[in-house]
Amino acid sequence: MASINEAMRSIVMLSAAAMFLVPSCASESVTRPLDRGAESLIVAPMLPRSIEAISSKADHWQVTFSLVLSSKIASPSQSTTVGLAGSFNGWNPVLTPMVRMGDGVYRVTLELPDATHLYKFVVDGNAWLNDPANTRVEDDGQGGVNSVLTLDSSTQDASEPCALGDGMVDAAACVHDPQRAMWLQGAVDNSGSMATRVRYRTRMDDVTSVSLDIDHTKDGALSIPMQRVAQLIPFDWWEATVPALTEPATYSFTLHDGDASWRDAQEFALSPQEMMGLRTPEWTKHAVWYQIMLDRFRNGDASNDPDPTRPWRSDWLMPSAWEGRDGQTMWQWFAFTRQYGGDITGLQASIPYLRDLGVTAVYLNPVFEGASHHKYDARSFVHIDDNFGVKGDFEIASAQEDLATPSSWTWTASDRAFLALIAEFHQQGMKLIIDGVFNHVGDQHLAFLDLRAQGKSSRFASWFAVKSFDPFVYDGWAGFGQLPVFAKNSSGFASDQVRDHLFAVTRRWMDPNGDGDPSDGVDGWRLDVPNEIPKPFWQQWRTLVKSINPDAFISGEVWTRADEWFDGTTFDAVMNYPFATAALAWIGNQTDKITVSELDRRLALLRLAYPAQASYALMNLLDSHDTDRVASMLKNPDRGYDQNNHDRDGSRYDGSKPAAEDFQRQRLLALLQMTYIGAPMIWYGDEAGMWGSDDPVSRKPMLWQDLEPYDNPLDRVDASHLGQYRAMIALRRDHPALQVGSFRSVATLDAQDVWIFAREHGDQRVLVLLNGSEQTQPITIDAREVQGWNWNTAFVSGKTQVSAPSDATRAPLVDGVPVIVPALGARVLVGTRR
């Protein structure tokens, strides 16, 4: 670092008004303020949280609109419909229907051109609502307001071309937005100390360098050269790491091109508090996750089975004798209420299977007492469901306890069975996290039953979002009356009793014996719909969790980009649905298939947006309990992720068994999971060849070879598919570079549909070549990528392979002989430094 040139100190900053003049390129020989221009609108950092926009082609965008319904907006129910109406569809309330996805959020994606668009959401055909997340509005002439969205890709297709060294800069493309983690984030530097990562954006190949200028009252003025860390058409991204500050500072940016320099007229403030940064548990970066819904995994003890229990091997489409007697049909609703008897004993007996597969960490869907198979309708967070442990012990225990008094809580036999399961996981060197469903409970929850019985006089009256006591009306999550939600305020829960209760539950399961040693408790939490609980609660809760176990993992169910959660005060990671959405758009779509360049761009934006500590800990999934299974997604392309994915009466979704090519595509996606930055997560049974449309079909009982034959002869473990999953997981396990190595996109070959990226750690470099086409592709790798390393082929087309002269020596790489990448397959090359 060097002192800023005295001439730079004397630069006169433009006034706020002057900063917004018409953008232009200009050539100057001295440093001068950067003039952005009044008409320049940088869309990306300005979008409200309810909208995501991805440039699709010249002057057009793929725009996703989202709406979270609550009683403050409109009272949702299971039959609620939501449409998007606006200037782009003639204000037709039914032309653009929105779909409620697995997180309870209504979404729709459509292509829109550059323009200013007006829009509203239409609930149940008659309630016209402006977007509550969008502050840009204008009068609708009817006594209300329309929401406003402006899309402008002018910086992507500038009328005056700029080039390196031409002494000109496209000011409209220059952006720094310190309100977003993509531009300013706490970080950990190479020495392990806290620091701040600062980013700046320019037009691609427009400037030769950018410097970060810091004015610090103690250390004086400093100029830090920024490194170009990404080129994503049409922008360059620049980055610098600022060591920890002891007092506030201001900063700005200087751009250099040829002999000309420009000082960005905007100044920003940086405080030591903003340098907290995010630290995530080291073990999460090495994890291979496996998600289990316990009722559907393995029945190990028939004595605790719920009544009635479906036979494990029964044909999903064939009703049991008791189903339908009350007038219900398959889809209304007995397929949703089935239970199969999976339990703790069954999971414990299956730990060897998980170890053999290569799993190192398990995420369990809710395990607390609840009426359903999924347990998102908790009766209590205090006890493990007795159908998972010892039948009948919940009623006995709860009758002797006071829900609001933690000191009265006891340990049931089911609870102790679960603690024994935790101990067994830990003994085997594996981690176990559980689902924290703190937004809502079931309508049979002990506190809600008391509220229903006692009304206003109930001691739990302040716990729930009650709109009326007479008649009794309350909010249910996503309109489901069976799932009453806790009342909220701006700081979290409206009742401190709810907060204190959840804190006590957290302590109970993280340190069961309360001795200060968390090794007998769960290793972390996956949080259900956490965006519906105000952030201040999660900040308090994280402090509690990390005080109990600093190595505990906190992951949120956030379906969209999650920058706001990675400031070091809430979550360590999220379920990475944007990864799944992008990957499926590449491999899974046909008409709407994206190129590898677009896939790389979308994932690169995520890597930029998230701190590295979060990126390496992300739960990279393809599917989950809230979606159709990945093999079935591939059989049903071009539907959008988690959209139009049920095969009920009247649906065009094909729920039959996917073809061999669909499973081959799935394996290619799985290899991307195992080699990409972040921790791969498998939804139970995907590795065995399970398939199915959205909930409930995607939750069919696990396939086990020792239980074959099943009543449906198509229900059987695909041994070859399972073997290739084991091999892909082993590939990740055996190569540290695939776990914690750096990531670099080497080539995006759109014509061949091949993506090449590199992972590097220490003396190991891994080159991953993924082929999304249906033809074998000969690929010549740039010699500069392979020189100085000894290479072999570690994995090809879904099979581990002993090195052979034809593809294991470095000669085919260095001498320009093409590397063969199989159709819908991959080749993974591992190099060791010479």
Side-chain angles (χ1 to χ4, degrees), residues 130-211:
N130 62 288
D131 185 346
N134 189 352
T135 58
R136 292 191 64 206
V137 296
E138 67 175 41
D139 194 308
D140 65 1
Q142 305 294 325
V145 294
N146 293 320
S147 296
V148 180
L149 168 65
T150 299
L151 300 171
D152 184 356
S153 57
S154 60
T155 62
Q156 300 189 36
D157 187 25
S159 57
E160 292 186 64
C162 293
L164 290 175
D166 64 358
M168 300 192 298
V169 61
D170 182 356
C174 298
V175 174
H176 174 69
D177 181 1
Q179 301 304 311
R180 299 290 182 94
M182 178 176 282
W183 276 269
L184 184 71
Q185 56 187 228
V188 180
D189 65 19
N190 294 333
S191 67
S193 301
M194 301 311 299
T196 297
R197 183 173 291 118
V198 182
R199 293 203 182 102
Y200 193 78
R201 194 189 77 180
T202 65
R203 188 172 163 202
M204 182 180 287
D205 293 329
D206 189 26
V207 300
T208 53
S209 64
V210 179
S211 59

Side-chain angles (χ1 to χ4, degrees), residues 87 126 144 209 553 644 686 718 789:
S87 53
N126 53 37
S209 64
F553 180 54
N644 304 311
D686 279 351
D718 184 332
W789 301 78

Side-chain angles (χ1 to χ4, degrees), residues 371-390:
S372 67
H373 72 277
H374 53 68
K375 309 305 174 188
Y376 284 96
D377 55 349
R379 295 186 66 195
S380 169
F381 298 135
V382 175
H383 295 296
I384 301 299
D385 192 281
D386 59 11
N387 290 130
F388 294 158
V390 177

Side-chain angles (χ1 to χ4, degrees), residues 27-31 259-261:
S27 177
E28 298 290 340
S29 59
V30 296
T31 304
D259 295 329
S261 297

Side-chain angles (χ1 to χ4, degrees), residues 24 78 85 128 132-133 161 189 193 214-215 359 425 440 481 610 648 658 668 677 824:
S24 62
Q78 295 183 42
W128 291 67
D189 65 19
S193 301
I214 302 175
D215 191 356
V359 171
F425 267 95
H440 54 267
Y610 296 167
R648 304 165 203 170
L668 179 57
I677 186 171
L824 295 176

